[in-house]
Amino acid sequence: MQINEKAIMSEDENIDVGLATKATPKTKKPKMYKVLLLNDDYTPMEFVVHILERYFGTSGSQAYELMMVVHQKGLAVVGVFSHDIAETKVMQVTELARKHQHPLQCTMEKE
């Protein structure tokens, strides 16, 4: 029995083979927000260091350096986060400061 290769090839040429592709939606990077601490004359420096360690994950020496920037320059960016995380951190810092009766201000702005 002989196989006619031309007959098989002609059958294959008539088959339209395509891959099903799914269009993947392009996701945008979220807008980022800077969280800032503002200096005041009443909040103890130790409290600011505590805030930086607790809510922004800085080491003791990093927290001290950032606190000094806030103290000397009037404000410092203490982190950059997505909107929801930045908003949460601002609320946490403000709440703890008020609980301890400190006027420390924490704000956020678009990067």
Side-chain angles (χ1 to χ4, degrees), residues 8 14 16 19 22 28 31 41 44 49 52 54 60 73-75 78 86 92-93 100 106-107 109:
I8 292 174
N14 293 331
D16 188 19
L19 294 175
K22 183 177 180 182
K28 294 180 184 177
K31 291 181 182 172
D41 294 333
V49 168
L52 292 167
R54 181 172 178 181
K73 296 193 176 191
L75 63 90
V78 294
Q92 290 171 327
V93 169
H100 291 275
C106 185
T107 61
E109 64 183 39

Side-chain angles (χ1 to χ4, degrees), residues 22-41:
K22 183 177 180 182
T24 56
K26 291 185 180 182
T27 55
K28 294 180 184 177
K29 287 186 178 182
K31 291 181 182 172
M32 301 302 280
Y33 291 80
K34 298 184 283 190
V35 175
L36 303 118
L37 281 182
L38 284 69
N39 187 44
D40 64 73
D41 294 333

